[in-house]
Amino acid sequence: MYALADCNNFFCSCERVFQPSLANRPIVVLSNNDGCIVARSNEAKALGLDMCTPYYQVADMLRAHDVAVFSSNYQLYGDMSQRVMSMLATFVPRIEIYSIDEAFLDFSGMGDGDDLRHYGEHIVNSVRQGTGIPISLGIAPTRTLAKMASRFAKKYKGYRGVCVIDTDHKRETALRMFDIGDVWGIGHRYVKKLHYHGINTAWDFTQRSPHWVRKLMTITGLRTWKELHGESCISIDPLPHKQSIRTSRSFPGTGIRSLGLMEEAIANFAASCAWKLREQHTSCTEMHVFAYTSRFRTDVPANTIHALVRFAVPTHSLQEIVPAAVDALRTHWVEGGFLYKKGGVLVDNIVSDQEIQGSLFDNVDRPRHERLMAAVSRINSRLGRNAVRCAVQGYSHEWHITTDHLSRHYTTDLNQIITLKL
């Protein structure tokens, strides 16, 4: 048996943990640069607010209905996710983290029927008490059915946060009630095809033959079909490492005009890529540096910058990647007052640190770089991210994302911890 633990309205719930006055108030969380709605509380959904709606289009409506608006506080959400996942891991022998707010739990050998439901309720109540985050738990013989059960647990209060699918009768009932477009593993491009063939529910899908499913949807669709029949055949095994890493950002306002500001932004993007490479113990062979003006404005000159950097020896060194990115930008910079609306860095051709092919003509003191990076990493882990940085990264905030509605970093910054008045 597997369980899918899903945090309810996670971003909104994180904001409510430290602001109890928001308990029954509608909440929305905005995307980067406060552009679109990316998370809604149940109260906000009841107002008819849709995902990805541009904020400027509904700003007046949000004020009229006293909706609490927040910028995305990724630092807070990431830390709260880590707390929830760490707590879930204490209840089961194995946990598979699927996303920032979802995890699969291995319930093998933990009983059946009422035993599973009671234990699930214990987990839901313990996580709520320990972190303040409400979760829903779906328990079933396969991961796909567990994900389906979690949707029922979240939707219907009678389940008290836990839905168990442990018999064929319960499975068939759930399949008949579940829309085919909501089944985990069936993408939107297949939904239209399935609707064309008269398949509207998960039950309709399971009534087709395995040969028909494989012909239409390949082996991936067949695995989903088997999972819906109660046969576990999908695992959540992470890739050894990312094949490419990209850090980019849309710039606020009209964009960036000066080379100095763009250098600072590109240096920070490159540094972020370098740290991500180190975290997964990999190095890159190529790096792309890019920037471009708005694709939607016809009243200003348009321009695109794209530079390719190749490293003779794969690297994750901050001392190599950041200067190379800035030099590439300077080489391709064109004066002319262009307003660049987006920029970024992508590192590609990534290899494991254990598979690096050296060069006879390499003039970089790599052991020295590695010692320096290790020292910088230790200092930053104690004093905070980017406490020690390359000088070209600077401290300007002009190119940073707009966060006019950002909440405090209650759990990661001692200067912003919650205060109590007695």
Side-chain angles (χ1 to χ4, degrees):
M1 298 293 282
Y2 298 94
L4 188 278
D6 185 4
C7 300
N8 301 340
N9 304 320
F10 180 58
F11 289 0
C12 299
S13 295
C14 288
E15 301 293 351
R16 278 179 169 155
V17 169
F18 301 97
Q19 300 187 58
S21 61
L22 298 174
N24 298 307
R25 186 178 170 188
I27 301 173
V28 296
V29 177
L30 305 177
S31 63
N32 288 346
N33 288 320
D34 293 345
C36 302
I37 295 174
V38 294
R40 305 158 295 162
S41 67
N42 290 334
E43 297 82 1
K45 294 175 184 177
L47 294 175
L49 294 168
D50 295 325
M51 288 286 283
C52 300
T53 301
Y55 172 57
Y56 75 90
Q57 291 183 0
V58 293
D60 293 338
M61 175 189 174
L62 297 178
R63 282 190 290 270
H65 289 87
D66 192 31
V67 178
V69 180
F70 292 96
S71 304
S72 291
N73 190 340
Y74 298 118
Q75 193 168 338
L76 174 65
Y77 306 153
D79 184 70
M80 291 301 291
S81 172
Q82 197 169 32
R83 290 167 184 244
V84 170
M85 300 307 170
S86 297
M87 197 164 186
L88 289 172
T90 65
F91 293 102
V92 291
R94 184 164 175 258
I95 179 174
E96 299 169 334
I97 298 176
Y98 180 62
S99 66
I100 192 172
D101 62 347
E102 292 179 292
F104 287 100
L105 313 180
D106 188 349
F107 266 36
S108 301
M110 294 190 175
D112 51 23
D114 288 341
D115 290 338
L116 285 178
R117 181 171 56 81
H118 291 318
Y119 192 56
E121 290 177 358
H122 171 63
I123 293 175
V124 168
N125 295 333
S126 297
V127 171
R128 180 62 183 267
Q129 183 178 15
T131 67
I133 301 295
I135 68 170
S136 299
L137 208 65
I139 305 172
T142 72
R143 292 173 177 83
T144 304
L145 288 173
K147 199 161 174 63
M148 182 184 296
S150 73
R151 292 282 293 268
F152 287 115
K154 182 181 294 188
K155 185 175 182 180
Y156 301 106
K157 292 184 179 180
Y159 284 114
R160 292 186 295 181
V162 181
C163 175
V164 182
I165 298 177
D166 58 348
T167 67
D168 282 340
H169 175 70
K170 291 181 182 179
R171 181 179 63 83
E172 291 177 9
T173 302
L175 293 174
R176 292 179 187 276
M177 297 174 62
F178 212 77
D179 188 272
I180 189 64
D182 293 331
V183 175
W184 182 50
I186 296 182
H188 66 276
R189 68 188 185 97
Y190 279 121
V191 172
K192 289 185 178 180
K193 292 182 180 180
L194 293 171
H195 283 168
Y196 174 79
H197 290 284
I199 298 173
N200 298 306
T201 66
W203 172 256
D204 297 334
F205 182 63
T206 60
Q207 298 312 293
R208 294 302 179 110
S209 70
H211 174 75
W212 185 90
V213 171
R214 179 162 186 168
K215 184 177 180 181
L216 181 71
M217 302 175 62
T218 71
I219 189 65
T220 302
L222 181 59
R223 288 197 186 105
T224 299
W225 182 90
K226 289 181 177 180
E227 288 254 328
L228 294 176
H229 276 275
E231 180 184 344
S232 179
C233 56
I234 294 178
S235 62
I236 314 299
D237 295 325
L239 292 171
H241 57 73
K242 292 182 179 179
Q243 304 303 304
S244 64
I245 295 174
R246 171 185 171 125
T247 303
S248 61
R249 183 165 296 167
S250 294
F251 303 123
T254 57
I256 290 181
R257 187 190 299 271
S258 73
L259 174 60
L261 277 180
M262 184 61 79
E263 285 179 353
E264 187 172 310
I266 292 297
N268 278 275
F269 299 152
S272 177
C273 288
W275 286 117
K276 290 175 182 178
L277 286 169
R278 283 182 59 82
E279 285 175 356
Q280 64 176 17
H281 305 289
T282 57
S283 297
C284 69
T285 306
E286 293 183 351
M287 176 172 62
H288 302 263
V289 178
F290 59 89
Y292 48 81
T293 55
S294 174
R295 301 171 181 175
F296 307 103
R297 293 190 62 178
T298 57
D299 58 325
V300 294
N303 191 46
T304 299
I305 294 174
H306 183 269
L308 172 63
V309 179
R310 288 191 173 93
F311 298 102
V313 176
T315 181
H316 58 218
S317 171
L318 204 67
Q319 291 176 275
E320 279 190 279
I321 292 176
V322 172
V326 173
D327 287 344
L329 173 69
R330 291 170 179 167
T331 301
H332 289 76
W333 184 264
V334 178
E335 295 294 343
F338 298 108
L339 291 171
Y340 293 98
K341 191 59 181 173
K342 188 166 186 175
V345 172
L346 181 146
V347 292
D348 206 355
N349 279 356
I350 294 176
V351 299
S352 169
D353 286 343
Q354 306 300 318
E355 302 170 359
I356 293 178
Q357 177 66 52
S359 170
L360 288 173
F361 306 102
D362 186 16
N363 58 2
V364 176
D365 188 347
R366 299 195 180 278
R368 180 175 176 273
H369 278 208
E370 194 60 35
R371 291 194 300 272
L372 177 60
M373 294 300 298
V376 171
S377 182
R378 287 194 297 270
I379 294 172
N380 286 344
S381 67
R382 291 200 305 269
L383 302 182
R385 185 178 180 183
N386 279 333
V388 177
R389 66 177 77 190
C390 295
V392 71
Q393 290 181 249
Y395 291 91
S396 172
H397 293 281
E398 294 182 49
W399 56 270
H400 285 212
I401 59 175
T402 301
T403 53
D404 293 335
H405 309 279
L406 187 67
S407 56
R408 294 156 70 181
H409 299 147
Y410 299 101
T411 62
T412 57
D413 188 338
L414 283 174
N415 296 317
Q416 298 187 31
I417 61 174
I418 194 168
T419 56
L420 302 177
K421 295 181 180 179
L422 302 177

